Coordinates of all heavy atoms in Angstrom, one line a residue:
M196 N 20.9 1.0 3.0 CA 19.9 -0.1 3.0 C 18.8 0.1 4.0 O 19.1 0.1 5.2 CB 20.6 -1.4 3.2 CG 19.6 -2.6 2.9 SD 19.3 -2.9 1.2 CE 18.4 -4.4 1.3
V197 N 17.6 0.3 3.6 CA 16.5 0.5 4.6 C 15.7 -0.8 4.6 O 15.4 -1.3 3.5 CB 15.6 1.7 4.2 CG1 14.4 1.8 5.1 CG2 16.4 3.0 4.1
Q198 N 15.5 -1.3 5.8 CA 14.8 -2.6 5.9 C 13.6 -2.5 6.9 O 13.7 -1.7 7.9 CB 15.7 -3.7 6.4 CG 16.8 -4.0 5.3 CD 17.6 -5.2 5.7 OE1 18.4 -5.1 6.7 NE2 17.5 -6.3 5.0
I199 N 12.6 -3.2 6.6 CA 11.5 -3.3 7.5 C 11.3 -4.7 8.0 O 11.3 -5.7 7.2 CB 10.2 -2.8 6.8 CG1 10.3 -1.4 6.4 CG2 8.9 -3.1 7.7 CD1 9.2 -0.9 5.4
D200 N 11.3 -4.9 9.3 CA 11.1 -6.2 9.9 C 9.6 -6.5 9.9 O 8.8 -5.9 10.6 CB 11.6 -6.2 11.3 CG 11.4 -7.5 12.0 OD1 10.6 -8.4 11.5 OD2 12.0 -7.8 13.1
S201 N 9.1 -7.3 8.9 CA 7.7 -7.5 8.7 C 7.1 -8.2 9.9 O 5.9 -8.1 10.1 CB 7.4 -8.3 7.4 OG 8.1 -9.5 7.5
D202 N 7.8 -8.9 10.7 CA 7.3 -9.5 11.9 C 7.0 -8.5 13.0 O 6.1 -8.6 13.7 CB 8.3 -10.6 12.5 CG 8.4 -11.8 11.6 OD1 7.4 -12.1 10.9 OD2 9.4 -12.4 11.6
A203 N 7.8 -7.4 13.0 CA 7.6 -6.4 14.0 C 6.6 -5.3 13.5 O 5.9 -4.7 14.4 CB 9.0 -5.7 14.2
C204 N 6.5 -5.1 12.2 CA 5.5 -4.1 11.7 C 4.1 -4.5 12.1 O 3.7 -5.6 11.8 CB 5.7 -4.0 10.2 SG 4.5 -2.9 9.4
I205 N 3.4 -3.5 12.6 CA 2.0 -3.8 13.0 C 1.0 -3.1 12.0 O -0.2 -3.0 12.2 CB 1.7 -3.3 14.4 CG1 2.0 -1.8 14.6 CG2 2.4 -4.2 15.4 CD1 1.5 -1.2 15.9
G206 N 1.6 -2.5 10.9 CA 0.8 -1.9 9.9 C 0.1 -0.6 10.2 O -0.9 -0.2 9.7
C207 N 0.8 0.2 11.1 CA 0.1 1.4 11.6 C 0.1 2.5 10.5 O -0.7 3.4 10.5 CB 0.8 2.0 12.8 SG 2.5 2.6 12.4
G208 N 1.1 2.4 9.5 CA 1.1 3.3 8.4 C 1.8 4.6 8.6 O 1.8 5.5 7.7
I209 N 2.4 4.8 9.8 CA 3.0 6.1 10.0 C 4.2 6.3 9.0 O 4.4 7.4 8.6 CB 3.6 6.1 11.5 CG1 2.4 6.2 12.5 CG2 4.5 7.3 11.7 CD1 2.8 6.1 13.9
C210 N 4.9 5.3 8.7 CA 6.1 5.5 7.8 C 5.6 5.9 6.4 O 6.2 6.8 5.8 CB 6.9 4.2 7.8 SG 6.0 2.7 7.3
A211 N 4.5 5.3 5.9 CA 4.0 5.6 4.6 C 3.5 7.0 4.6 O 3.5 7.7 3.6 CB 3.0 4.6 4.2
A212 N 2.9 7.5 5.7 CA 2.4 8.8 5.8 C 3.5 9.9 6.0 O 3.4 10.9 5.4 CB 1.4 8.9 7.0
S213 N 4.5 9.6 6.7 CA 5.5 10.6 7.0 C 6.6 10.6 6.0 O 7.4 11.5 5.8 CB 6.1 10.3 8.4 OG 6.8 9.1 8.5
C214 N 6.8 9.5 5.2 CA 7.8 9.4 4.2 C 7.3 8.6 3.0 O 7.8 7.5 2.7 CB 9.0 8.7 4.8 SG 10.6 8.9 3.9
P215 N 6.3 9.2 2.3 CA 5.7 8.4 1.2 C 6.6 8.2 0.0 O 6.3 7.3 -0.8 CB 4.5 9.3 0.8 CG 4.9 10.7 1.3 CD 5.7 10.5 2.5
E216 N 7.7 8.9 -0.1 CA 8.6 8.7 -1.3 C 9.4 7.4 -1.1 O 10.1 6.9 -2.0 CB 9.5 9.9 -1.6 CG 10.3 10.4 -0.4 CD 9.6 11.5 0.3 OE1 8.6 11.3 0.9 OE2 10.2 12.6 0.3
V217 N 9.4 6.9 0.2 CA 10.2 5.7 0.4 C 9.4 4.5 0.9 O 9.6 3.4 0.5 CB 11.3 6.0 1.5 CG1 12.0 4.7 2.0 CG2 12.2 7.1 1.1
F218 N 8.3 4.8 1.7 CA 7.5 3.6 2.2 C 6.1 3.6 1.7 O 5.5 4.7 1.4 CB 7.4 3.8 3.7 CG 8.8 3.8 4.4 CD1 9.3 5.0 4.9 CD2 9.5 2.6 4.7 CE1 10.6 5.0 5.5 CE2 10.8 2.6 5.3 CZ 11.3 3.8 5.7
E219 N 5.6 2.4 1.5 CA 4.2 2.3 1.1 C 3.7 1.0 1.8 O 4.4 0.2 2.3 CB 4.0 2.2 -0.4 CG 4.7 1.0 -1.0 CD 4.5 1.0 -2.6 OE1 4.0 2.0 -3.1 OE2 5.0 0.1 -3.2
M220 N 2.4 0.9 1.8 CA 1.8 -0.3 2.5 C 1.6 -1.4 1.4 O 1.0 -1.2 0.4 CB 0.4 0.1 3.1 CG 0.6 1.2 4.2 SD 1.9 1.0 5.4 CE 1.2 -0.4 6.3
G221 N 2.0 -2.6 1.8 CA 1.9 -3.7 0.9 C 0.5 -4.3 1.0 O -0.3 -4.0 1.8
D222 N 0.3 -5.3 0.1 CA -1.0 -6.0 0.1 C -1.4 -6.7 1.4 O -2.5 -6.9 1.7 CB -1.1 -7.0 -1.1 CG -1.0 -6.3 -2.4 OD1 -1.4 -5.1 -2.5 OD2 -0.6 -7.0 -3.4
D223 N -0.4 -7.1 2.1 CA -0.6 -7.8 3.4 C -0.8 -6.8 4.6 O -0.8 -7.2 5.7 CB 0.6 -8.7 3.7 CG 1.9 -8.0 3.9 OD1 2.0 -6.8 3.6 OD2 2.9 -8.7 4.2
G224 N -0.8 -5.5 4.3 CA -1.0 -4.5 5.3 C 0.2 -4.1 6.1 O 0.1 -3.4 7.1
K225 N 1.3 -4.6 5.7 CA 2.6 -4.3 6.3 C 3.4 -3.3 5.3 O 3.2 -3.3 4.1 CB 3.4 -5.5 6.5 CG 2.7 -6.6 7.3 CD 3.3 -7.0 8.5 CE 2.5 -8.0 9.3 NZ 3.1 -8.4 10.5
A226 N 4.2 -2.5 6.0 CA 5.0 -1.5 5.2 C 6.1 -2.2 4.3 O 6.6 -3.2 4.7 CB 5.6 -0.5 6.1
I227 N 6.3 -1.6 3.2 CA 7.4 -2.1 2.3 C 8.2 -0.9 1.8 O 7.7 0.3 1.8 CB 6.9 -2.9 1.1 CG1 5.9 -2.1 0.2 CG2 6.3 -4.2 1.5 CD1 5.5 -2.8 -1.1
V228 N 9.4 -1.1 1.5 CA 10.3 -0.1 0.9 C 10.0 -0.1 -0.6 O 10.0 -1.1 -1.3 CB 11.8 -0.3 1.1 CG1 12.6 0.8 0.4 CG2 12.0 -0.3 2.6
K229 N 9.6 1.1 -1.2 CA 9.3 1.2 -2.6 C 10.5 0.8 -3.4 O 11.6 1.2 -3.1 CB 8.8 2.6 -2.9 CG 7.5 3.0 -2.2 CD 7.2 4.4 -2.3 CE 6.5 4.7 -3.7 NZ 5.9 6.1 -3.7
P230 N 10.3 0.2 -4.6 CA 11.4 -0.2 -5.4 C 12.2 0.9 -5.9 O 13.4 0.8 -6.1 CB 10.7 -0.9 -6.6 CG 9.3 -1.3 -6.1 CD 9.0 -0.3 -5.1
D231 N 11.6 2.1 -6.1 CA 12.3 3.2 -6.7 C 12.6 4.2 -5.6 O 12.8 5.4 -5.9 CB 11.5 3.8 -7.8 CG 10.2 4.3 -7.3 OD1 9.8 3.9 -6.2 OD2 9.5 5.1 -8.1
A232 N 12.7 3.8 -4.3 CA 12.8 4.7 -3.2 C 14.2 5.4 -3.2 O 15.2 4.8 -3.6 CB 12.7 3.9 -1.9
D233 N 14.1 6.7 -2.8 CA 15.4 7.5 -2.6 C 15.9 7.2 -1.2 O 15.3 7.7 -0.2 CB 15.0 9.0 -2.8 CG 16.3 9.8 -2.4 OD1 17.3 9.3 -2.2 OD2 16.1 11.1 -2.4
L234 N 16.9 6.3 -1.2 CA 17.4 5.9 0.1 C 18.2 6.9 0.9 O 18.7 6.6 2.0 CB 18.2 4.6 0.0 CG 17.3 3.4 -0.6 CD1 18.1 2.1 -0.7 CD2 16.0 3.2 0.2
S235 N 18.3 8.1 0.3 CA 19.0 9.2 1.0 C 18.0 10.2 1.5 O 18.4 11.3 2.0 CB 20.1 9.8 0.2 OG 19.5 10.4 -1.0
A236 N 16.7 9.9 1.4 CA 15.7 10.9 1.8 C 15.7 11.1 3.3 O 15.8 10.2 4.1 CB 14.3 10.4 1.4
P237 N 15.8 12.4 3.7 CA 15.9 12.7 5.1 C 14.7 12.2 5.9 O 14.8 11.9 7.1 CB 15.9 14.2 5.1 CG 16.3 14.6 3.8 CD 15.8 13.6 2.8
C238 N 13.5 12.0 5.3 CA 12.3 11.6 6.0 C 12.4 10.2 6.5 O 11.6 9.7 7.4 CB 11.1 11.8 5.2 SG 11.0 10.9 3.7
I239 N 13.4 9.4 6.0 CA 13.6 8.0 6.5 C 13.8 8.0 8.0 O 13.3 7.2 8.7 CB 14.7 7.3 5.8 CG1 14.4 7.1 4.3 CG2 15.1 6.0 6.4 CD1 15.5 6.6 3.4
Q240 N 14.7 9.0 8.5 CA 15.0 9.0 9.9 C 13.7 9.4 10.7 O 13.5 8.9 11.8 CB 16.1 10.0 10.2 CG 16.6 10.0 11.6 CD 17.1 8.6 12.0 OE1 18.0 8.1 11.3 NE2 16.7 8.0 13.1
D241 N 12.9 10.2 10.1 CA 11.6 10.5 10.8 C 10.7 9.3 11.0 O 10.2 9.0 12.0 CB 10.8 11.6 10.0 CG 11.5 12.9 9.9 OD1 12.3 13.2 10.8 OD2 11.2 13.7 8.9
A242 N 10.7 8.5 9.9 CA 9.9 7.3 10.0 C 10.5 6.3 11.0 O 9.7 5.7 11.8 CB 9.8 6.6 8.6
I243 N 11.8 6.2 11.0 CA 12.4 5.3 12.0 C 12.1 5.8 13.4 O 11.8 5.0 14.3 CB 14.0 5.3 11.8 CG1 14.3 4.6 10.5 CG2 14.7 4.7 13.0 CD1 15.8 4.7 10.1
D244 N 12.2 7.1 13.6 CA 11.9 7.6 15.0 C 10.4 7.5 15.4 O 10.1 7.3 16.6 CB 12.3 9.1 15.0 CG 13.8 9.4 14.9 OD1 14.5 8.4 15.1 OD2 14.1 10.5 14.5
Q245 N 9.5 7.5 14.4 CA 8.1 7.5 14.7 C 7.5 6.1 14.7 O 6.4 5.9 15.3 CB 7.3 8.3 13.7 CG 7.7 9.8 13.8 CD 7.1 10.6 12.7 OE1 6.0 10.3 12.1 NE2 7.7 11.7 12.4
C246 N 8.1 5.1 14.1 CA 7.6 3.8 14.1 C 7.4 3.2 15.5 O 8.4 3.2 16.3 CB 8.5 2.8 13.3 SG 7.9 1.1 13.3
P247 N 6.2 2.8 15.9 CA 6.0 2.5 17.3 C 6.6 1.1 17.7 O 6.8 0.9 18.9 CB 4.4 2.3 17.4 CG 4.0 2.1 16.0 CD 5.0 2.8 15.1
T248 N 7.0 0.3 16.7 CA 7.6 -1.0 17.1 C 9.1 -1.1 16.7 O 9.7 -2.1 16.9 CB 6.8 -2.1 16.4 OG1 7.0 -2.0 15.0 CG2 5.4 -2.1 16.8
G249 N 9.6 0.0 16.2 CA 11.1 0.0 15.9 C 11.4 -1.0 14.7 O 12.4 -1.6 14.7
A250 N 10.4 -1.1 13.8 CA 10.5 -2.1 12.8 C 11.4 -1.7 11.6 O 11.9 -2.6 10.8 CB 9.1 -2.5 12.2
I251 N 11.7 -0.4 11.6 CA 12.6 0.1 10.4 C 14.0 0.3 10.9 O 14.3 0.8 11.9 CB 12.0 1.4 9.9 CG1 10.5 1.3 9.7 CG2 12.8 1.9 8.7 CD1 9.9 2.7 9.5
T252 N 14.9 -0.3 10.1 CA 16.3 -0.1 10.4 C 17.0 0.4 9.1 O 16.5 0.2 8.0 CB 17.0 -1.4 10.8 OG1 16.7 -2.4 9.8 CG2 16.5 -1.8 12.2
Q253 N 18.1 1.1 9.3 CA 18.9 1.7 8.2 C 20.3 1.4 8.4 O 20.8 1.6 9.5 CB 18.6 3.2 8.1 CG 19.2 3.8 6.8 CD 18.9 5.3 6.7 OE1 18.7 6.0 7.7 NE2 18.9 5.7 5.5
Ligands
LIG544 FE1 5.0 -0.7 10.3 FE2 6.4 0.9 11.7 FE3 5.6 1.6 9.3 S1 4.8 -0.5 12.4 S2 3.7 0.5 9.0 S3 7.0 -0.1 9.8 S4 5.7 2.9 11.0

C-alpha cells in the first residue's frame, strides 16, 4: 500500500517525474497514486527517498 500524506505534500512533482507509472499530480496540485499503479514498481522507493517532505509511505 503506497500512500501520500496530502497535508505533507507540497506538490513539487518529483514523485510523478521519477516514478510516473505510479504517481501523478492531482487537480489540487498534490500527488496521487494512480488507480492502476503497479505497487511493486522499484521506482516507488526512489520517489520515497527523493520526496522533500517525506510525504510518501509504503
Ligand atoms: Fe508531493 Fe513529495 Fe511527490 S512533496 S509531489 S509527494 S515528491
Side-chain angles (χ1 to χ4, degrees):
M196 186 76 176
V197 178
Q198 292 184 295
I199 297 168
D200 180 343
S201 59
D202 290 331
C204 175
I205 57 171
C207 71
I209 290 173
C210 55
S213 66
C214 195
E216 56 264 64
V217 175
F218 302 100
E219 65 185 0
M220 303 310 292
D222 292 338
D223 62 355
K225 309 238 177 178
I227 58 173
V228 178
K229 296 170 81 169
D231 59 347
D233 173 5
L234 298 182
S235 63
C238 63
I239 293 171
Q240 189 60 53
D241 295 336
I243 291 171
D244 292 343
Q245 294 173 27
C246 176
T248 64
I251 308 167
T252 54
Q253 185 178 31

